[in-house]
Amino acid sequence: QKEVEQNSGPLSVPEGAIASLNCTYSDRGSQSFFWYRQYSGKSPELIMSIYSNGDKEDGRFTAQLNKASQYVSLLIRDSQPSDSATYLCAVFSGGYNKLIFGAGTRLAVHP
Amino acid sequence: ETGVTQTPRHLVMGMTNKKSLKCEQHLGHNAMYWYKQSAKKPLELMFVYNFKEQTENNSVPSRFSPECPNSSHLFLHLHTLQPEDSALYLCASSYQLGTEQETQYFGPGTRLLVL
């Protein structure tokens, strides 16, 4: 079982819709969770971090965390073509004492 | 700009060459990382340094040799590489290592092509 799992996609959504990106993790003791955005040929860029169960909103982005289900998600409201990128979920694993990245979900927002 | 710079941004080298990648962070962080990202593969952690001391070598071949002279600078020395080493090499830094609120910031990367 991979430590951090994401659907590779591509997830295709129309412009203006809500994009929902999901991530599951295996280390139940994990406490810190991050979403990075990576445009093709570029480096990962931090979008959000979340540490507590529930929702955390920042502009059009909402991160949701459910530790009991070992699940973290990222919602992007009013999706724009410029949101088209690969979104990486990263989890700080207490068991491994390091940040572990998922393989990423490719999002395509079409006009 | 994240405060982490990398040079060169692009590098083409032959299998017998020796080259070095440089990373510098201006964030006052104490931990620095090298990652490799191959096409359509997840990020692979290579090395971790904390306060200039190497804390992790993720079974990286010896043809990759890291160096961390201080907390702001990190190098990756390359020699006798193979074509399969062609990838995007990313440097990252974080304020603290091994803490629950470790947030890593990435440099722009070096795109390496080994011929």
Side-chain angles (χ1 to χ4, degrees), chain A residues 5 12 33 39 57 78 80 86 89 98 110:
Chain A
E5 293 209 51
S12 183
F33 308 86
Y39 291 113
E57 188 174 319
D78 188 23
Q80 302 297 310
T86 296
C89 172
K98 64 182 180 182
H110 53 86

Side-chain angles (χ1 to χ4, degrees), chain B residues 2 7 13 15 45 48 50 52 58 63 71 74 81 85 96-97:
Chain B
T2 62
T7 55
M13 59 187 290
M15 288 190 284
L45 180 64
V48 182
N50 190 40
K52 305 189 305 178
N58 216 22
R63 57 186 184 268
S71 293
L74 184 64
L81 293 193
D85 297 322
Q96 288 183 300
L97 176 67

